[in-house]
Amino acid sequence: RHHHLVVFVLSILAVATWSCSTVGASPRKTPNSAKGISARLPPVKTRAKPPHIMLIVMENQGFSNIIGNQSSPYVNNLARHYLTATNDFARAHPSLPNYLELISGHAYLSAGTSTDCAPNACGPITGTTLADQLQKAHVPWRAYLGSMPRPCDTQNAGGSGGYGVRHNPFVYFPQARHGVLCRNIVPASSLLANLNAKSTPDFVFFAPNICNDGGNDAPCSTLQNGDRYLSKFIPSVMRSHWFRSAGTVIL
């Protein structure tokens, strides 16, 4: 089995949304920033383990805004060494409908999601989500949301560069706000520690703070800041027990 770094550039608001590779694809070559990490990976074991998948959601940049842009050297380095996918597109051009579609297959535009409404201000949003399916199948999962103050919080926090609830699609579904699912929708402060625990989630959803997502939604939220953040965060993930156990990262 292989350890994978599968790199997408997710553009929530741009016309062309995804860049970089397919799930399960092995890298062409280890990026320079990851040298020394792959070399320390443990020997391949014959006993199969459940795959570990992490989806990291960045913001507001289309393929042409990222690929070839000198302001994003780290992501471009990843894109040069891993496969690219270029035929996926945003559903709509605020954030919320695309996040909802990522976990449910529906954008819920008739519920007012095109205004990036807060959970208590949107129309009814109901249905089955990826979280419901994982929970039913007893697959360990967890969603990590920037500096969200408490599990499944439905209010923005930390100012313009902090936690934006519109980037947390899980809490728009009533079953996630009230019940066992809520325990798995947590602040991101525990993410790296959890990845190095003996028992790790098989599926991880991660949306960083607005300052770190590269989406220009705040003065601190520049493309350069997002790239610098990923250049530190992704190598930390690659060193984790979680990644060494059949980990795949989708950016």
Side-chain angles (χ1 to χ4, degrees), residues 196-209:
N196 283 297
K198 290 183 179 179
S199 178
T200 59
D202 291 334
F203 175 76
V204 173
F205 178 99
F206 173 49
N209 274 347

Side-chain angles (χ1 to χ4, degrees), residues 157-172:
S160 63
Y163 164 64
V165 69
R166 64 188 181 277
H167 299 162
N168 181 358
F170 300 91
V171 297
Y172 284 80

Side-chain angles (χ1 to χ4, degrees), residues 10-234:
L10 173 61
S11 166
I12 292 298
L13 302 192
V15 174
T17 64
W18 299 84
S19 89
C20 309
S21 73
T22 53
V23 173
S26 296
R28 297 190 187 102
K29 180 179 174 184
T30 303
N32 292 335
S33 58
K35 284 182 178 177
I37 295 172
S38 296
R40 295 194 298 272
L41 293 176
V44 174
K45 297 180 180 180
T46 56
R47 183 179 178 182
K49 294 181 179 179
H52 286 164
I53 307 294
M54 176 184 292
L55 175 62
I56 304 172
V57 189
M58 302 295 279
E59 274 278 319
N60 298 355
Q61 305 292 343
F63 185 90
S64 61
N65 297 103
I66 298 288
I67 302 305
N69 191 329
Q70 294 181 356
S71 296
S72 188
Y74 180 73
V75 172
N76 273 272
N77 185 49
L78 295 178
R80 283 192 296 270
H81 293 90
Y82 295 87
L83 302 178
T84 58
T86 58
N87 197 31
D88 291 274
F89 302 92
R91 171 70 175 213
H93 300 300
S95 292
L96 181 57
N98 299 285
Y99 281 81
L100 292 170
E101 193 158 51
L102 278 174
I103 69 164
S104 73
H106 300 283
Y108 295 94
L109 293 172
S110 63
T113 59
S114 61
T115 65
D116 276 343
C117 50
N120 61 357
C122 295
I125 295 177
T126 59
T128 300
T129 70
L130 176 61
D132 298 312
Q133 294 175 323
L134 292 171
Q135 196 77 18
K136 185 177 180 180
H138 305 290
V139 175
W141 67 278
R142 191 157 288 175
Y144 297 88
L145 289 306
S147 59
M148 181 175 62
R150 60 191 64 84
C152 56
D153 200 302
T154 60
Q155 302 294 321
N156 295 327
S160 63
Y163 164 64
V165 69
R166 64 188 181 277
H167 299 162
N168 181 358
F170 300 91
V171 297
Y172 284 80
F173 293 85
Q175 69 268 29
R177 296 194 298 271
H178 311 290
V180 295
L181 297 181
C182 184
R183 294 198 297 265
N184 287 332
I185 306 167
V186 299
S189 56
S190 61
L191 173 53
L192 291 176
N194 287 171
L195 296 184
N196 283 297
K198 290 183 179 179
S199 178
T200 59
D202 291 334
F203 175 76
V204 173
F205 178 99
F206 173 49
N209 274 347
I210 291 169
C211 260
N212 297 325
D213 68 16
N216 293 314
D217 282 342
C220 60
S221 183
T222 64
L223 184 61
Q224 295 94 326
N225 280 348
D227 193 75
R228 281 194 293 267
Y229 177 78
L230 291 172
S231 73
K232 297 176 182 178
F233 177 73
I234 289 180

